[in-house]
Each structure stands twice: as structure tokens, then as C-alpha cells.
Amino acid sequence: MGTPLADYVKLPELEVYKEWFKDFADLYREDGILQVTWKTNDGPMHHSGMSHRAMSQLTRWLSLDTKNEIIIFTHIGDSWMIESDPNGWETYSQLPTQRFQHQYFDDTNLIKNMVFDLDVPTIGAIPGPGFHWDSAMLCDVTIASEDTWMEVPHAHGGLVPGDGMGLMCQHYMGTKRGNYYMMTTRQFTAQQMLDSGMVSEVVSKDRVMARAWEIARMWKRMPYENRTIMSNLAKRPMKKLLVEDLKLHTVSEQYGSLLRIAAGDLGDENSAQQDEKYISRTNDWRYTFPYMQQPMTSETWEAFRTEPIKWFQRVEAGEEVNPHARKPVKPYRPDPVK
């Protein structure tokens, strides 16, 4: 047998690229099953321009490593992403190039890389309430804890909900119901997500990760080639949807924001559209109190901008407790196979 003129390109192994992304994700692989646990440093992931970009970049690297045969996406701790980095959006304000790259590339790649780059079976494991749930819902199968509640929060802050979550609501829930949740920001519960087809199973909080690994190990019993082809069939409806509508949605959100910048009314809670660093002050409040699980009214809509600030002031004064206060937490590890 002859020698080829050039060998295969040697790409970085897991031990190399897991170090690249250590501030944003914990990567653990066992028997070809890779668990991606979103985080920021040693605690819950904080939504930011940096995490936004890292999520799409990591997904692309995962797709190039053929040793990743099945991938589980989850979030550290007992909730999904709840926090935002108030200082993590400074590059969004740098016009035109930085903001263009963040919104035109990062916003789109965060969604499309999950579906178009990952050719292997994927499982989303949601351990509790939170926002920016796209990477979990874009998986072939999604498991949610029974105490999960989520929403599409953009409209409350005056933003066009075009980052892909509104599009997924329309897809999973049906047009009218998806429009309603997208346009009123009403939160939906785990049971509602199950009933609408947004998630595959709802389990007790202590069973989410174990169930995800159980399914992954079950798939491992299939031939590699067959389960990979099966995953392509699972992703096909979402691929067609994203080709048709994703860029329209993301560009629509960007256009709305640029209009507000041009009009000079993008800023704090008194502005027509809130900047991300001000919206971030509402996050813990949204998942501490179930106010937004009810049909929204003019009063509750207005309260969204003021009540979280008042609550944070009481927390800072020691009058109330923030159950989502940042604390170090270790990523989940599966029990050994018996």
C-alpha cells in the first residue's frame, strides 16, 4: 500500500480545547458520550457577549471531534441560565463592526451550529428555570425538571424577540400559541412545554441528568452509523425551519435595536428599549416569583421594570434573600455503569 502525499490534518484533542473553553463550559466525556455543562468560571453561566460567542464557537469545535458520538447539553447547578453579566455587553455598543459581528454572526451561529454542525445525537437536560434555553431545546431530545419555567422575555424590555427563541415557540407550540408567549412574555411551565411538544420528558429534579445519561447509554447500544443517521432525520424539520426564517428573525431584532440607538432611546429602565445590562437586573426576580406565569396585564407589564429593582434593594438591605445568589458549584458526573 502506497504512502499518501499528505496526511490527515491533526486537530486538537478534547484535553486541549476543553482548556480553551474552561471559563464557559465543563466538558466531560465517557465512552463517546460528551457532557457539555454551561457555566461561567466556577458558577452559573452569566449571559454576555463573551458567553454568546463561546457557545457557538464550542459547538463548532465539538462537531470536528469524531470521538464525540453523543452530546448532552446542560447547565451547572439546579437551574438553567438565570444570570447576566452587567459588564459583559460593552462590545455590543461598539458600532459598527463589533456590534455587527455579535448580532449578525454570533446570534445566528448560536442557533444554527447546534443543528447544522452537530451530526450526532444530542440531548438537552434542563435542571430548572431560566432563560436563553436555545441550546437545550435545539437538541434531538430534551429532558426538563418538573420545576422548570421559562419565557421569551424580549418584548418586556422593548426588544424585538428575534434571537431564535420566539421562532422556536412558533415551531413547537403552533403559530397562535407561540405568538402569544413570544409577544406577551408570559412564562410557560414544564408541563406546558411537555403538552406543547417543546420538551420530550419531564422528570423530578434529581433525575434530570441521570435520565439524560440513561438515554445516551441506550443509544450507544445502536450501531454508530445508524444512530448518527437517525439524528439527521431528527434534525431535518428544524434545519428546514432555520433555512427559511432564522436570519430574518435575528436581523429583525438587530434592526429594531439600531432604530432605538438612532432615536436615542436605548438605555435604562426608563428608556423605550432597555440595554442588556439593565435587563440583567430583572433575571433573578423572574425566577424567584411566579408572577409572569399568569396572563400579562398593563400593570404587570409595567411592574417588570420596577419591581425587580425594588426587590434587589431589599435583598441588598438584608430584608429578603436572593435564592439565586452566585455560589460555586460542581458539574454533574454520572454514576459508573453497573
Side-chain angles (χ1 to χ4, degrees):
M1 188 173 181
T3 302
L5 293 175
D7 201 353
Y8 292 104
V9 174
K10 299 296 189 295
L11 295 176
E13 296 285 342
L14 174 63
E15 293 306 314
V16 174
Y17 64 78
K18 73 182 293 185
E19 185 69 15
W20 296 351
F21 292 95
K22 65 181 181 180
D23 292 342
F24 300 102
D26 174 83
L27 305 181
Y28 170 79
R29 189 166 63 199
E30 174 192 299
D31 190 28
I33 301 170
L34 179 75
Q35 178 181 298
V36 179
T37 305
W38 299 123
K39 65 186 186 71
T40 296
N41 299 328
D42 61 350
M45 175 169 269
H46 282 51
H47 189 219
S48 69
M50 299 78 192
S51 66
H52 230 220
R53 180 165 294 174
M55 292 174 79
S56 63
Q57 290 172 327
L58 174 58
T59 304
R60 187 155 288 168
W61 276 105
L62 298 182
S63 72
L64 298 173
D65 187 346
T66 55
K67 294 178 182 177
N68 298 325
E69 299 181 29
I70 297 169
I71 304 177
I72 299 170
F73 288 92
T74 190
H75 190 283
I76 203 166
D78 59 2
S79 65
W80 195 255
M81 190 190 307
I82 286 179
E83 301 291 337
S84 283
D85 181 349
N87 300 310
W89 299 97
E90 297 305 317
T91 48
Y92 265 66
S93 63
Q94 297 176 20
L95 293 169
T97 304
Q98 284 282 0
R99 190 173 188 106
F100 172 78
Q101 290 176 341
H102 277 300
Q103 294 199 306
Y104 195 79
F105 295 125
D106 294 350
D107 283 10
T108 305
N109 289 340
L110 186 69
I111 301 291
K112 76 176 183 62
N113 292 1
M114 285 288 303
V115 175
F116 287 96
D117 284 7
L118 298 179
D119 290 317
V120 298
T122 54
I123 302 170
I126 304 174
F131 71 100
H132 239 305
W133 33 262
D134 26 34
S135 62
M137 299 301 184
L138 288 165
C139 290
D140 302 336
V141 167
T142 302
I143 310 299
S145 69
E146 57 194 1
D147 69 333
T148 296
W149 76 75
M150 295 176 158
E151 80 287 311
V152 183
H154 303 65
H156 244 154
L159 287 79
V160 176
D163 68 344
M165 288 189 287
L167 178 61
M168 281 187 275
C169 279
Q170 292 174 323
H171 172 71
Y172 290 121
M173 297 181 173
T175 304
K176 288 292 184 180
R177 185 162 42 173
N179 288 349
Y180 169 73
Y181 283 103
M182 175 181 72
M183 297 174 75
T184 70
T185 73
R186 181 178 175 180
Q187 291 175 330
F188 32 85
T189 64
Q191 187 61 48
Q192 289 169 328
M193 287 189 280
L194 180 65
D195 293 342
S196 67
M198 184 175 274
V199 302
S200 312
E201 288 185 8
V202 173
V203 300
S204 61
K205 199 169 189 66
D206 61 346
R207 280 281 298 156
V208 173
M209 294 309 301
R211 180 58 178 150
W213 274 89
E214 185 175 45
I215 293 173
R217 286 166 171 164
M218 179 179 70
W219 286 342
K220 276 286 292 184
R221 299 176 68 86
M222 289 182 66
Y224 166 78
E225 297 82 6
N226 288 18
R227 66 171 180 263
T228 302
I229 296 170
M230 176 179 71
S231 177
N232 182 68
L233 294 179
K235 292 177 173 66
R236 183 170 168 78
M238 186 59 69
K239 286 182 178 180
K240 292 193 289 185
L241 174 69
L242 298 186
V243 166
E244 290 286 335
D245 287 330
L246 177 61
K247 185 61 76 174
L248 175 63
H249 274 242
T250 56
V251 171
S252 294
E253 179 174 325
Q254 296 151 27
Y255 182 62
S257 294
L258 290 175
L259 287 175
R260 301 279 60 78
I261 292 172
D265 57 6
L266 185 150
D268 62 18
E269 60 268 19
N270 299 310
S271 302
Q273 180 177 322
Q274 287 182 277
D275 187 85
E276 288 281 358
K277 65 182 179 181
Y278 293 100
I279 293 176
S280 69
R281 297 190 293 179
T282 71
N283 293 340
D284 289 11
W285 176 85
R286 293 209 309 267
Y287 305 108
T288 299
F289 306 102
Y291 302 143
M292 292 171 61
Q293 292 180 23
Q294 309 306 315
M296 304 302 293
T297 66
S298 295
E299 290 75 17
T300 54
W301 186 277
E302 289 302 318
F304 177 82
R305 292 193 174 202
T306 57
E307 289 304 314
I309 308 304
K310 295 177 183 176
W311 177 67
F312 268 112
Q313 291 172 346
R314 294 194 295 272
V315 170
E316 290 173 352
E319 299 170 3
E320 293 199 39
V321 175
N322 178 3
H324 304 295
R326 181 179 175 80
K327 56 185 177 182
V329 59
K330 293 183 179 180
Y332 175 87
R333 291 291 182 263
D335 291 333
V337 178
K338 297 179 181 179

